[in-house]
Amino acid sequence: MTAKTTNGKIRNVAIIAHVDHGKTTLVDGMFRQSGLFRANQEVADRVMDNLDLERERGITIAAKNCSIVWQDTKINIIDTPGHADFGGEVERALSMANGAILLVDASEGPLPQTRFVLSKALAVGLKLIVVINKIDRNDARPKAVLDEVYDLLIDLGASEDQLDFPLFYAIGRDGVAMKELGETSDNLHVLMDSIVADIPAPEHDTDAPFQMLVSDLGYSDYLGRLAIGRIVNGAAKRNMELACIGENGQPRPLRIAALQAYEGLRMQDVDVAEAGDIIVLAGIEDVKIGDTICTREEPKVLPRIRVDEPTVSMLFTINTSPLAGQEGNQLTSAKIRERLEREALANVAIRVEDTESRDAFLVKGRGEFQMAIIVETMRREGFELTVGRPQVILREIKGRVCEPMERLFVDCGEEFVGVVTEKLAQRKGRMTNLINNGAGRVRLEFIIPARGIIGYRDEFLTDTKGTGIMNTYFEGYEPHRGEFPSRRSGSLVADRPGKGVAYALYNLEPRGRLFITAGEPVYEGMIVGEHNRENDIDVNPTKEKKLTNLRASGRDENVILTPVLPMTLERALQFIRDDEMVEVTPHSVRLRKSVLPASQRHMLAGKKKKAKE
């Protein structure tokens, strides 16, 4: 029987929080107070959000690692995403942790994404520390939020040990934490002391050979593919002869070309790494997340990281519009395939499948937001591509067709409850809870098909005059609830190529809401606006005013067009119907019909009508 022991010099802790509850700001404070930065060193805020998209949107998309040293103990901090669409990131991040800090806003309380990540942490038995943040807010209600945290933990089946958590109150922006409300503090020392005292040290077998589970992948121009994970047993040394065991169970030989560990935000070369530490190995080309790296003499496989099945699929194909190739430099299907396969390697929740067309690929993932982030990342890398409407993935369970369901939480003013409930009922949503605390805002809870949320967010913001908040998490599969209209408006479709003309656009404004401005290029089949009615109509946005010799007073004033809201990728994906697509380039987002020529579209519509009859 092997002897178990712990490595008391290391703590591995994940930080769990909903979007915008102050997680990354709190980590900034821990960096500064642990002595990671010099006293006079200039450091950007939210240093862990190092991707451009993360800084722009104020959210964490990719799970990342860093470390600090406190009381001669190395604390590896694992930053987890706060959005359920990035659930694959959450699961692989938690595989490296022994404990978790649950960060909750003192006003908003635990929200759906908190629930999603927390359920994963409880399932793997992580020890918790709870921090109620932003207690300086005018609307802070820390005692009520603490009760909500207990209710959530009990609802998720937390053990007695997990319910007996250390509790702290914090103002992350100021870098202060305290054990009791009303105390004064000027640092985060009590929180960092608690991490060392209350988070279990990583446990390992003293006599077991080296084992490591690959939880993340990286790439270096100098070292090639990097495998990142926590050492479960044994120790690693540079130039060590090891084996990598994939899904097929066959060990493949490898040698550690470089061995690195986290020091602050950077990776530093080390000669030896001990059990429990999070390390980076170079020298392994053919490696995937979930693989086990172990000794050649005693190859033992660790349980693979398992993630929830994808619920949404989206078609990615080459850009076939007449404007293709003018802005991007990554245009071919081979380049798109290579990029998507690289994404699937680093993101365990993404799957890429071939279709009947060699130029199109079906990408499956957790949600439309995750898909939008992939497309946005690709366009910034110079790709031009066309993507279809997100589709939910149906399953057959016990002979019945079932669809993914979402638990939807809505926070809105009392005056908007009627319109929100009506719209969600049309989309087959069923209300399960309504809380009115008498402060003018109401919390509603629905179980709704995942397809019912696609395209609803813009409508929701319009209905609630921009004051509503919407959050969801995956609830499970239920029998299909039947069809419902996804969009009650049609499209204004350009019938010829050219450039938008102010005179033509001014005359199209009564027909609906325009998406283009004067001077923008258009082509046949491009969607230039939203029609007021349910049907599509072909329009000419390039029509110019006929000029004559006659002039009359008041006839030739300047045309003043209604300002057009710039089209974003998320708005475009939410707007399109099944027969429409989004053309994405580094500088443009355009809406178009899947079939561009009007004659072909009318012929297909006629065939569908006959088939229904």
Side-chain angles (χ1 to χ4, degrees):
M1 186 173 175
T2 55
K4 290 274 189 181
T5 187
T6 57
N7 185 349
K9 295 183 288 184
I10 294 173
R11 300 291 185 275
N12 298 317
V13 62
I15 300 194
I16 297 169
H18 185 84
V19 175
D20 203 32
H21 278 199
K23 165 168 52 73
T24 311
T25 307
L26 185 75
V27 174
D28 280 0
M30 293 169 73
F31 282 158
R32 288 183 169 89
Q33 294 179 32
S34 65
L36 183 63
F37 304 129
R38 298 191 313 274
N40 62 345
Q41 185 175 347
E42 284 191 22
V43 183
D45 289 337
R46 297 187 291 118
V47 289
M48 286 289 277
D49 283 348
N50 52 19
L51 303 177
D52 288 343
L53 273 174
E54 292 179 321
R55 287 193 163 276
E56 287 170 21
R57 294 166 185 263
I59 62 171
T60 301
I61 294 171
K64 292 176 286 293
N65 302 353
C66 62
S67 75
I68 60 173
V69 176
W70 188 252
Q71 295 181 0
D72 297 323
T73 303
K74 182 180 182 181
I75 302 173
N76 286 312
I77 300 172
I78 303 148
D79 194 14
T80 64
H83 200 288
D85 277 16
F86 305 104
E89 296 284 330
V90 169
E91 280 144 331
R92 68 172 177 76
L94 293 181
S95 70
M96 295 184 275
N98 300 107
I101 296 173
L102 172 61
L103 190 70
V104 183
D105 188 290
S107 170
E108 296 178 2
L111 289 176
Q113 271 72 33
T114 314
R115 182 188 184 100
F116 172 82
V117 184
L118 185 59
S119 66
K120 301 289 183 187
L122 294 176
V124 294
L126 298 187
K127 170 73 177 175
L128 294 179
I129 294 174
V130 175
V131 178
I132 297 179
N133 193 27
K134 303 187 183 181
I135 58 169
D136 58 331
R137 284 182 60 159
N138 292 332
D139 55 350
R141 46 188 192 95
K143 291 182 179 177
V145 165
L146 179 58
D147 290 340
E148 290 175 14
V149 170
Y150 275 116
D151 291 344
L152 175 59
L153 288 169
I154 291 166
D155 191 31
L156 294 174
S159 65
E160 285 189 20
D161 184 48
Q162 288 169 326
L163 285 169
D164 186 22
F165 51 76
L167 172 66
F168 298 95
Y169 299 94
I171 306 171
R173 185 190 58 216
D174 297 344
V176 300
M178 57 218 77
K179 288 186 176 180
E180 299 289 341
L181 283 171
E183 284 184 3
T184 56
S185 170
D186 58 1
N187 56 51
L188 294 167
H189 294 182
V190 289
L191 174 59
M192 294 192 281
D193 288 344
S194 178
I195 293 173
V196 174
D198 299 309
I199 297 295
E203 197 175 60
H204 61 97
D205 291 336
T206 51
D207 303 324
F210 175 80
Q211 279 180 302
M212 172 184 135
L213 184 69
V214 179
S215 300
D216 196 4
L217 296 176
Y219 185 80
S220 163
D221 291 335
Y222 303 102
L223 301 171
R225 179 66 52 80
L226 305 174
I228 303 165
R230 175 166 62 95
I231 302 176
V232 177
N233 290 310
K237 298 177 183 176
R238 195 178 300 177
N239 296 324
M240 197 173 175
E241 302 282 344
L242 297 172
C244 179
I245 304 177
E247 278 188 287
N248 60 6
Q250 296 299 315
R252 303 185 303 277
L254 65 95
R255 172 181 287 184
I256 300 177
L259 176 62
Q260 298 176 318
Y262 288 95
E263 287 188 19
L265 291 164
R266 296 184 177 86
M267 295 181 292
Q268 300 290 340
D269 288 329
V270 294
D271 294 322
V272 180
E274 300 175 342
D277 204 357
I278 296 172
I279 61 167
V280 183
L281 298 181
I284 319 158
E285 281 308 310
D286 187 16
V287 63
K288 294 182 179 177
I289 290 173
D291 288 358
T292 299
I293 296 176
C294 53
T295 60
R296 295 184 189 180
E297 297 75 29
E298 297 182 67
K300 292 183 180 179
V301 183
L302 294 166
R304 287 187 76 82
I305 298 171
R306 297 293 176 192
V307 300
D308 294 340
E309 291 293 310
T311 57
V312 171
S313 67
M314 203 161 87
L315 193 70
F316 284 59
T317 183
I318 59 172
N319 187 6
T320 56
S321 92
L323 302 177
Q326 296 183 10
E327 295 178 4
N329 53 22
Q330 308 281 343
L331 310 172
T332 64
S333 59
K335 289 283 188 185
I336 293 172
R337 174 201 285 275
E338 181 189 322
R339 178 63 181 82
L340 290 174
E341 286 176 346
R342 200 162 73 242
E343 184 73 32
L345 266 179
N347 189 339
V348 287
I350 290 289
R351 294 179 192 172
V352 182
E353 296 177 4
D354 289 328
T355 63
E356 293 176 0
S357 167
R358 57 186 293 233
D359 292 332
F361 312 98
L362 194 67
V363 180
K364 295 181 177 179
R366 285 289 183 80
E368 58 178 310
F369 186 52
Q370 184 188 34
M371 296 294 185
I373 291 296
I374 294 172
V375 177
E376 182 67 36
T377 306
M378 289 177 68
R379 72 183 286 219
R380 291 177 183 219
E381 293 171 2
F383 280 87
E384 283 195 16
L385 65 157
T386 308
V387 294
R389 177 180 169 84
Q391 304 281 355
V392 298
I393 300 171
L394 303 177
R395 276 196 203 169
E396 190 171 313
I397 302 173
K398 295 181 181 177
R400 299 185 68 182
V401 175
C402 295
E403 63 177 331
M405 292 287 167
E406 298 278 343
R407 186 172 289 270
L408 170 65
F409 296 82
V410 172
D411 185 326
C412 66
E414 289 178 347
E415 65 272 29
F416 305 124
V417 171
V419 66
V420 169
T421 306
E422 181 189 350
K423 292 283 179 70
L424 291 173
Q426 291 169 1
R427 293 168 174 265
K428 305 293 182 182
R430 294 173 188 163
M431 189 189 294
T432 58
N433 198 9
L434 185 151
I435 301 169
N436 188 345
N437 55 19
R441 290 186 74 83
V442 178
R443 286 195 176 189
L444 308 168
E445 207 172 310
F446 296 83
I447 302 292
I448 185 169
R451 60 196 167 97
I453 299 170
I454 295 173
Y456 174 63
R457 199 171 294 272
D458 271 4
E459 201 174 327
F460 169 75
L461 288 173
T462 303
D463 290 341
T464 60
K465 295 184 168 58
T467 62
I469 301 169
M470 220 174 95
N471 289 291
T472 64
Y473 72 83
F474 178 61
E475 179 72 11
Y477 279 82
E478 285 186 18
H480 195 273
R481 290 191 179 177
E483 296 303 321
F484 56 83
S486 60
R487 195 177 96 206
R488 297 186 176 278
S489 58
S491 300
L492 302 175
V493 186
D495 64 357
R496 67 197 69 196
K499 288 191 174 182
V501 174
Y503 172 75
L505 297 178
Y506 180 75
N507 287 303
L508 286 177
E509 280 189 351
R511 297 278 191 171
R513 181 167 57 113
L514 296 180
F515 298 151
I516 67 164
T517 56
E520 278 191 48
V522 298
Y523 52 83
E524 184 181 8
M526 178 174 158
I527 298 169
V528 297
E530 180 181 9
H531 191 202
N532 289 333
R533 301 185 180 180
E534 291 190 21
N535 61 307
D536 297 342
I537 58 169
D538 293 325
V539 298
N540 178 10
T542 66
K543 185 179 180 182
E544 297 181 349
K545 184 176 182 181
K546 290 180 179 174
L547 301 177
T548 67
N549 291 331
L550 299 175
R551 291 287 181 271
S553 175
R555 287 285 177 88
D556 294 324
E557 298 100 337
N558 286 334
V559 172
I560 299 174
L561 297 172
T562 305
V564 173
L565 194 65
M567 181 57 68
T568 63
L569 189 57
E570 283 95 334
R571 277 184 62 219
L573 290 175
Q574 289 170 10
F575 177 82
I576 57 174
R577 285 174 164 165
D578 292 341
D579 66 335
E580 297 168 349
M581 302 187 86
V582 182
E583 176 193 350
V584 184
T585 72
H587 304 298
S588 308
V589 174
R590 303 185 185 99
L591 305 179
R592 49 163 285 181
K593 287 290 183 181
S594 301
V595 178
L596 294 179
S599 56
Q600 290 184 31
R601 276 187 276 118
H602 297 155
M603 199 186 318
L604 288 170
K607 285 180 181 177
K608 280 185 184 177
K609 197 173 180 181
K610 279 185 181 177
K612 285 182 181 178
E613 292 171 356

